[in-house]
Amino acid sequence: MKKKLAVLLSMAVMTLGFAACGDKAEATDAPTEATTEAVVEEATAGQPTEMEYISGNGWRVTYDPTVIEVSKTDAGANFVYIGESAGTNMVTISYIKDKQPAEALYDITSKWGADEEDITRYEGIFPGTEDKWGFWRKYDTKEGNTGLSETAMAAEYNDGVLVFNIVNHFADDEEVDIPVSGAIENLINSIKYEDYKDQTLFYYVPGVYKSVDEDGLETSVELKEDHTGTLHFQDDIDIIWSSYEVYDEEESFRYEYSIEQNTLYLDYDGNTLEFIREGATPTDPSEDK
């Protein structure tokens, strides 16, 4: 699962090694402009080069104040790269109460001016967690290695949704682009949570779903709450499950699935297999009418 997270984050920003962390200076709220300037002056004199932003909504991140400037918003904070770059590079982290990830992502992507087919969609473990599920949207207007890339990430979080909105401008110059992407990636990877409550979006999915063929051979699909699972077929195959697919760690296969009441339908190489939740009985289709 950690491998999957690394892949998703590298799609959001250019993949870089992690920079070594300096001494930390804590900030319980977004610094004012004067405070930010003071921190930068101290850092250049050999003082702390890492600060921590602590949100009132239970999340916190660390950042390098010599290259990132923080400003508070009503829903969270903006983290703007202030070093040399090809244009605006920033991360906005927001907590939006009483919304679902799809709604929050639509509010962002609808302003990109992009056709739906030009927006890349994917899912995976959300930054800072090992078992919370998130959704990604990515849109590039780059020509080669220059131009604009926008990424939005969202996950159900404590009766609302937590959103990362990332803007990158690329110069096609490694000396410029690598420090930018490194600072943004380090900030995202640093996020921690005081109390990330259980997600409820997929409450109906976890379980063991079984099928018995005419010869009495039993197969099953096991889906766990942490988005891992196992296909118990001829061999046991460890899987990851998303909102509509199951796949293995190497992504050597992807099978779409759906769940209707207690029945799981799995598209297995073009064949629809039916599995009944353990302890339940098959649903009579006439009951749905």
Side-chain angles (χ1 to χ4, degrees):
M1 296 297 281
K2 291 181 179 178
K3 174 183 175 183
K4 187 65 179 176
L5 174 58
V7 171
L8 292 172
L9 287 176
S10 68
M11 293 180 70
V13 292
M14 292 174 60
T15 304
L16 297 169
F18 285 28
C21 295
D23 298 328
K24 290 185 180 179
E26 186 173 287
T28 57
D29 204 347
T32 62
E33 183 176 352
T35 303
T36 301
E37 290 175 352
V39 170
V40 171
E41 290 174 359
E42 289 179 353
T44 57
Q47 296 301 313
T49 58
E50 186 173 272
M51 290 192 68
E52 185 172 57
Y53 177 88
I54 302 175
S55 164
N57 291 309
W59 58 267
R60 61 179 65 197
V61 293
T62 56
Y63 64 96
D64 181 352
T66 66
V67 292
I68 290 181
E69 186 174 78
V70 183
S71 60
K72 188 174 175 62
T73 68
D74 290 340
N78 294 321
F79 300 86
V80 181
Y81 188 82
I82 56 175
E84 181 183 1
S85 65
T88 299
N89 292 276
M90 64 183 293
V91 179
T92 299
I93 306 178
S94 305
Y95 170 72
I96 307 169
K97 192 171 178 61
D98 298 328
K99 271 201 175 184
Q100 292 294 331
E103 298 175 86
L105 288 172
Y106 176 78
D107 290 343
I108 294 172
T109 60
S110 61
K111 299 174 183 177
W112 287 352
D115 294 331
E116 284 293 317
E117 59 269 21
D118 294 328
I119 297 176
T120 304
R121 300 164 179 260
Y122 44 99
E123 305 178 15
I125 296 298
F126 202 60
T129 78
E130 294 184 350
D131 60 353
K132 302 300 188 291
W133 202 247
F135 301 84
W136 276 249
R137 302 288 185 268
K138 190 171 188 292
Y139 176 57
D140 287 323
T141 59
K142 294 191 297 181
E143 294 183 5
N145 294 318
T146 63
L148 171 66
S149 177
E150 298 187 79
T151 303
M153 305 184 280
E156 178 188 350
Y157 174 73
N158 297 2
D159 301 318
V161 60
L162 192 65
V163 182
F164 290 76
N165 190 9
I166 306 163
V167 177
N168 284 125
H169 281 89
F170 296 94
D172 194 20
D173 182 342
E174 289 187 356
E175 291 187 2
V176 175
D177 293 335
I178 288 179
V180 174
S181 297
I184 289 176
E185 183 176 351
N186 288 341
L187 184 146
I188 294 171
N189 285 338
S190 75
I191 193 163
K192 294 179 174 60
Y193 309 95
E194 292 179 11
D195 180 23
Y196 201 137
K197 298 177 183 177
D198 291 341
Q199 294 178 321
T200 61
L201 187 60
F202 300 109
Y203 73 92
Y204 62 93
V205 173
V208 177
Y209 301 81
K210 296 184 175 181
S211 177
V212 180
D213 66 15
E214 296 176 351
D215 299 323
L217 178 64
E218 181 179 278
T219 55
S220 65
V221 179
E222 180 182 5
L223 304 178
K224 300 178 182 179
E225 291 184 358
D226 64 357
H227 286 268
T228 64
T230 307
L231 297 181
H232 299 285
F233 290 2
Q234 288 183 332
D235 298 310
D236 290 344
I237 305 171
D238 292 333
I239 58 172
I240 300 167
W241 60 271
S242 71
S243 63
Y244 68 99
E245 286 183 319
V246 300
Y247 52 92
D248 64 344
E249 184 71 30
E250 289 72 33
E251 299 188 21
S252 61
F253 65 80
R254 284 182 174 270
Y255 303 140
E256 292 191 9
Y257 80 94
S258 63
I259 295 175
E260 297 180 15
Q261 296 190 9
N262 290 312
T263 303
L264 182 149
Y265 299 94
L266 184 71
D267 185 350
Y268 185 75
D269 293 333
N271 298 310
T272 301
L273 307 182
E274 295 186 19
F275 300 83
I276 305 302
R277 187 187 295 271
E278 189 173 47
T281 55
T283 301
D284 184 345
S286 63
E287 295 178 2
D288 296 330
K289 296 181 181 179

